[in-house]
Amino acid sequence: MSGNIKIAALGLPRIGARRELKFALEGFWSGKLTEAELLARAAELRAENWRRLQRLGVDVIPSNDFSLYDHVLDMAVTVGAVPERFEQVKAGGALATYFAMARGSTGAERHACGHSHDGGVAALEMTKWFDTNYHYMVPELHAGQGFALAGDKPVEEYLEARALGIQTRPVLLGPVSFLKLSKSVDGSDPLDLLPRLLPVYTELLARLREAGAEWVQIDEPCLVLDLQEHEREAYAFGFGALATKHAPKIMLASYFGGLAENLAVVSTLPVDGVHVDLVRAPDQLEAVLDAVHPEKVLSLGVIDGRNVWRADLVRLIERLEPVVKEREGAVQIAPSCSLLHVPIDLELETELDANLKTWLAFALQKIEELGVLKAALSGEAGRVGERIEAATRALEARRRSAKVHSQAVAARLAQVTAGMARRSLDFETRRKLQNAALGLPSFPTTTIGSFPQTAEVRKARAAHRRGELGTADYVHYLRRETEAAIRWQEEVGLDVLVHGEFERNDMVQYFGEQLSGYAFTRHGWVQSYGSRYVRPPVIFGDVSRPEPMTVDGAKFAQSLTDKPVKGMLTGPVTMLQWSFPRDDVPRETTCRQIALALRDEVQDLEAAGISVIQVDEPALREGLPLKRGEWQHYLDWAVECFRLAASGVAPETQIHTHMCYAEFNDIIEAIEALDADVISIETSRSRMELLEAFSGHAYGKGIGPGVFDIHSPRVPSAEEMSELLHKAKSNLKPWQIWVNPDCGLKTRAWEEVRPALANMVAAARKLRLSA
């Protein structure tokens, strides 16, 4: 055994155990906090994280893993990759520019320095971070792009920690991944910019070394993707330039999968250590041991940084013992990736089922698991023997629990037939029947589902949850809000209405709370983007629907109007992807269980008179495996699950779905195979570029390309939306086009929503006149 094993953390959640960052950001944006107060609270959160890790015995503590909004955006600002359109907000200061890149700008802000600017500016695009539910801001680059070290955030935060007496390993997004994750605005290859970018990284590394940093962690998650030969050559060229005598030692970090064919180039890079993900790709260990030189530090990601289940410590000890013995003094044990993707502290969950709680580990508990592993692998198993035994007992209790396994669910799953996943008539026939039944105008207008969740709405829901507002009074309140929303939609002239979803806390949580097999936390918040956090439910057992979930509310809303009101459901793939899924059964098994539960709900909505039903699948693309060779298996079962949920209705019933920002080219055939009558997508930030995937594929069903960005507070004009719709007409047939926002309006204020939707309706009416 070795006494030289080290515990390393690749990153911690930034948000604070009680969402302190969210409240600080929103306070700043609303003018309640000054810039100085925001930055002070951010510094407090960083210090708290460093001290936590120090108390837990972590040997390698990260810095620069904190971000006010997004770490990719941070890197773009650091290297000076700020698009020209943000020049108009620079007078407001660095933070004003940063948040304008993240959120857009209305043009009416007055910044801390007193400056204001005229006219709005659109934010950077946002897309999913690999196959997670985290969103990053996409840097915009062009041929001839200039780079310059424009910020010292990594150095400043390193020095901040050192002033507290804590030595850290700064974290940087690597140059190759930064370029590959960026967007070219002129069709050029961002990787061609690597020679221009590397001097900035070299300068930054030299500053870190000069500040005292002994090591730096350079994250290159793109190393787990299918790379072309010129991309592998970019890694050799790039790291050859970075590894100078003026730089700290480099820990090259990959995660979210295995290195596979990219291991050969990694083994030749002039780095001092390599981190690998042994949770997503456990089979790569032997190859990594053979390929990575014994003198290099090997960081083994053995604790799951993406899920909440506690580890099998006995199995890990048995697996790691020979590695530690072979690599004496050159092994670190770590989470598989940054712990950004899991909640912070399980101890805050005082209301969870006691048995279930023993099966779980959040970020801090995962660090504690590493402490147990380190002790056991360092010859101190006796000191942690009770904790190892407790983990083993919990795992065995989970395997045997009647709460996990349902014979009824298994029996129903066994009775599924291929015919259950097919509509009774083809799309063209359905379209004619639906046109006759719904009587909608050309370019029909609708929204994606949710309306603003005001402070009053949230207060009522919280009061009901605490028992302070009785169920009858709460239902009365919700119906009053629903009726007001229906009346306003009629007044503004929308064609297909929604009930507003005032009862829903989250598009996954709301349904999961009504399904068996799901459990929910009170403090299990995870960052989705910026100040938008979610509490992913934990799927711990077989899933079924005990009773209808949305039928009463939808039926009431439809009774208020002669216009169609959409039934709103979250699809099975998204219910799976945006939860912490089981790790004891295949993901597709759980997804089929959810699909059957939703099938019951869809059929009940139809029986209640709901003629348009939207089954949202924003997570379909993000669930795509990172390796292309695994795509088809995933898409086959994902499409089957959607169709299983949505296909049990009459042809006159119109099925919609919605998807968020994604590279639709990758999955366009699967989107067609969903056989939804209408799909709505987020396209405003890309100025309708995403529609090219649909037009290039000759997609033959209805499409609602989003005409305004719901992630930004700015209200676009009717003329701006008209321009986008005319772009849509150049890619689509007129009958295909629906008019809608990019996504749900839950996070926006009514003061923004009302004029934006009024402008949207005006743009649609103008389009009808010109058709």
Side-chain angles (χ1 to χ4, degrees):
M1 296 296 177
S2 171
N4 296 319
I5 305 167
K6 291 184 177 179
I7 300 172
L10 275 63
L12 273 189
R14 313 150 175 164
I15 63 179
R18 299 186 184 276
R19 295 183 290 163
E20 290 89 344
L21 180 59
K22 173 185 176 68
F23 301 126
L25 285 170
E26 293 176 354
F28 173 71
W29 293 333
S30 67
K32 297 176 183 176
L33 288 184
T34 66
E35 180 174 323
E37 288 170 329
L38 170 65
L39 296 179
R41 294 192 184 184
E44 290 170 3
L45 290 174
R46 290 192 292 271
E48 184 178 10
N49 273 355
W50 292 324
R51 288 175 174 136
R52 274 179 178 149
L53 292 177
Q54 189 179 54
R55 287 194 300 268
L56 290 170
V58 174
D59 303 292
V60 182
I61 295 175
S63 60
N64 198 46
D65 57 323
F66 178 88
S67 177
L68 284 173
Y69 203 94
D70 166 54
H71 58 278
V72 183
L73 175 62
D74 292 348
M75 204 70 225
V77 171
T78 298
V79 301
V82 179
E84 287 185 9
R85 68 178 180 278
F86 295 99
E87 287 292 329
Q88 63 178 292
V89 297
K90 282 189 174 180
L95 204 58
T97 306
Y98 178 86
F99 285 132
M101 292 173 71
R103 307 174 67 234
S105 174
T106 64
E109 295 93 340
R110 181 164 296 276
H111 303 293
C113 62
H115 292 285
S116 62
H117 61 88
D118 298 322
V121 57
L124 297 178
E125 279 187 53
M126 182 166 60
T127 195
K128 296 298 175 69
W129 176 246
F130 294 83
D131 59 350
T132 74
N133 188 34
Y134 177 78
H135 303 65
Y136 77 93
M137 308 308 300
V138 182
E140 294 177 10
L141 307 176
H142 57 82
Q145 173 86 41
F147 297 101
L149 191 58
D152 251 4
K153 177 180 180 292
V155 178
E156 291 168 358
E157 293 187 10
Y158 169 79
L159 292 173
E160 200 176 297
R162 203 174 76 167
L164 297 173
I166 301 172
Q167 180 68 17
T168 62
R169 184 174 70 187
V171 180
L172 303 176
L173 177 61
V176 179
S177 287
F178 175 79
L179 292 174
K180 277 185 61 62
L181 294 169
S182 297
K183 171 187 178 179
S184 169
V185 297
D186 58 8
S188 58
D189 185 350
L191 269 185
D192 291 344
L193 298 170
L194 186 59
R196 290 172 172 263
L197 179 61
L198 287 172
V200 182
Y201 271 81
T202 301
E203 182 182 355
L204 177 57
L205 290 173
R207 290 194 187 185
L208 285 167
R209 172 74 178 270
E210 185 179 351
E214 300 171 8
W215 281 82
V216 63
Q217 174 185 317
I218 298 185
D219 287 359
E220 285 287 357
C222 288
L223 279 167
V224 306
L225 303 179
D226 295 316
L227 298 180
Q228 299 177 26
E229 189 57 35
H230 79 279
E231 294 171 318
R232 295 191 187 103
E233 291 172 357
Y235 275 106
F237 173 72
F239 279 83
L242 296 183
T244 73
K245 63 181 181 180
H246 302 294
K249 294 179 180 179
I250 295 174
M251 172 62 72
L252 174 63
S254 64
Y255 39 81
F256 301 153
L259 291 170
E261 63 277 7
N262 301 325
L263 177 58
V265 69
V266 168
S267 67
T268 67
L269 298 181
V271 297
D272 303 280
V274 176
H275 172 84
V276 292
D277 184 340
L278 295 182
V279 175
R280 279 295 188 90
D283 296 338
Q284 70 173 325
L285 178 58
E286 293 304 320
V288 168
L289 289 172
D290 290 340
V292 177
H293 195 281
E295 291 184 1
K296 294 184 178 182
V297 175
L298 199 54
S299 173
L300 305 178
V302 295
I303 297 295
D304 194 344
R306 295 274 300 271
N307 211 335
V308 293
W309 302 104
R310 73 186 305 167
D312 187 336
L313 298 179
V314 170
R315 183 182 62 83
L316 285 176
I317 291 167
E318 292 173 352
R319 190 173 185 214
L320 293 175
E321 277 179 345
V323 180
V324 170
K325 190 173 184 180
E326 177 184 336
R327 296 243 170 180
E328 179 74 25
V331 174
Q332 295 177 2
I333 53 174
S336 57
C337 59
S338 169
L339 294 170
L340 165 71
H341 308 287
V342 294
I344 295 175
D345 189 2
L346 183 63
E347 290 307 309
L348 297 176
E349 303 300 332
T350 58
E351 299 175 25
L352 267 182
D353 175 88
N355 290 329
L356 174 60
K357 189 172 179 179
T358 66
W359 305 342
L360 303 177
F362 291 178
L364 297 184
Q365 287 71 43
K366 290 176 183 294
I367 297 296
E368 290 173 351
E369 288 181 319
L370 288 169
V372 174
L373 288 176
K374 176 182 176 179
L377 293 168
S378 300
E380 301 178 15
R383 182 168 64 82
V384 293
E386 289 186 8
R387 297 181 68 179
I388 295 172
E389 290 174 6
T392 301
R393 287 195 302 270
L395 291 173
E396 183 60 25
R398 180 186 170 200
R399 279 190 286 268
R400 294 174 177 270
S401 175
K403 298 176 182 178
V404 173
H405 308 288
S406 165
Q407 292 183 353
V409 172
R412 188 178 183 196
L413 203 57
Q415 295 169 358
V416 171
T417 65
M420 292 171 65
R422 289 196 295 266
R423 296 292 294 270
S424 59
L425 294 176
D426 64 272
F427 171 72
E428 280 303 322
T429 306
R430 298 199 309 264
R431 183 164 76 92
K432 293 174 185 176
L433 292 170
Q434 291 165 14
N435 286 346
L438 296 172
L440 298 173
S442 58
F443 309 109
T445 56
T446 190
T447 64
I448 304 306
S450 57
F451 276 141
Q453 294 262 321
T454 63
E456 182 186 6
V457 169
R458 295 193 301 270
K459 181 179 178 181
R461 190 165 59 236
H464 179 249
R465 186 179 64 243
R466 293 192 300 265
E468 298 167 4
L469 181 64
T471 298
D473 289 337
Y474 182 55
V475 170
H476 178 74
Y477 171 79
L478 292 174
R479 291 196 166 193
R480 190 173 71 242
E481 291 294 308
T482 298
E483 183 167 7
I486 293 289
R487 297 293 173 240
W488 183 81
Q489 291 172 86
E490 289 181 319
E491 179 183 333
V492 81
L494 288 165
D495 300 306
V496 176
L497 314 187
V498 297
H499 78 288
E501 303 182 15
F502 303 108
E503 76 285 4
R504 302 188 188 183
N505 40 23
D506 174 83
M507 66 182 293
V508 172
Q509 181 178 350
Y510 175 76
F511 292 100
E513 285 177 337
Q514 301 179 78
L515 295 171
S516 65
Y518 273 80
F520 292 83
T521 65
R522 292 295 303 276
H523 302 282
W525 296 100
V526 175
Q527 186 179 27
S528 179
Y529 64 87
S531 65
R532 170 72 169 145
Y533 307 158
V534 294
R535 279 183 299 170
V538 178
I539 306 178
F540 68 87
D542 291 336
V543 178
S544 61
R545 185 197 73 150
E547 58 187 24
M549 301 179 286
T550 66
V551 175
D552 286 346
K555 189 175 180 180
F556 170 75
Q558 186 62 79
S559 73
L560 300 171
T561 180
D562 292 331
K563 291 188 173 185
V565 176
K566 283 194 288 189
M568 301 299 305
L569 305 174
T570 302
V573 178
T574 301
M575 288 292 298
L576 174 75
Q577 187 71 16
W578 290 2
S579 302
F580 291 116
R582 294 169 66 176
D583 61 354
D584 60 334
V585 297
R587 291 167 66 235
E588 54 261 45
T589 298
T590 299
C591 199
R592 289 189 181 98
Q593 294 174 357
I594 300 169
L596 288 173
L598 293 174
R599 183 184 181 89
D600 294 340
E601 188 72 12
V602 168
Q603 291 176 328
D604 284 348
L605 283 169
E606 181 185 53
I610 305 302
S611 55
V612 181
I613 301 172
Q614 184 169 306
V615 183
D616 288 344
E617 283 293 19
L620 183 70
R621 171 60 180 83
E622 79 184 41
L624 198 64
L626 300 179
K627 297 290 188 182
R628 188 173 290 269
E630 301 170 10
W631 284 10
Q632 197 57 54
H633 173 69
Y634 162 74
L635 290 172
D636 286 346
W637 64 255
V639 168
E640 176 203 347
C641 288
F642 178 88
R643 292 175 62 146
L644 188 60
S647 295
V649 294
E652 292 83 359
T653 298
Q654 191 172 74
I655 296 294
H656 289 225
T657 190
H658 171 71
M659 293 184 183
C660 295
Y661 291 111
E663 294 298 328
F664 293 113
N665 278 309
D666 295 337
I667 59 168
I668 191 65
E669 292 182 358
I671 293 174
E672 183 92 56
L674 293 175
D675 202 24
D677 299 300
V678 180
I679 178 174
S680 54
I681 57 176
E682 300 189 55
T683 55
S684 68
R685 286 196 182 187
S686 72
R687 306 292 295 173
M688 296 289 165
E689 286 179 16
L690 292 177
L691 281 182
E692 293 173 7
F694 292 84
S695 59
H697 181 75
Y699 186 81
K701 299 182 175 72
I703 307 179
V707 294
F708 72 87
D709 176 18
I710 65 89
H711 300 292
S712 171
R714 65 184 294 268
V715 176
S717 66
E719 290 73 21
E720 182 179 335
M721 291 190 241
S722 293
E723 180 186 340
L724 291 177
L725 287 170
H726 280 290
K727 284 189 175 184
K729 278 184 68 178
S730 67
N731 285 283
L732 303 170
K733 296 180 178 66
W735 68 261
Q736 290 182 279
I737 299 175
W738 283 65
V739 183
N740 47 255
D742 264 348
C743 199
L745 299 163
K746 173 182 177 180
T747 61
R748 299 267 55 92
W750 277 110
E751 292 75 15
E752 302 156 0
V753 167
R754 289 191 178 98
L757 288 180
N759 289 347
M760 186 187 83
V761 171
R765 287 173 175 168
K766 182 178 179 181
L767 191 62
R768 288 169 196 159
L769 292 174
S770 65

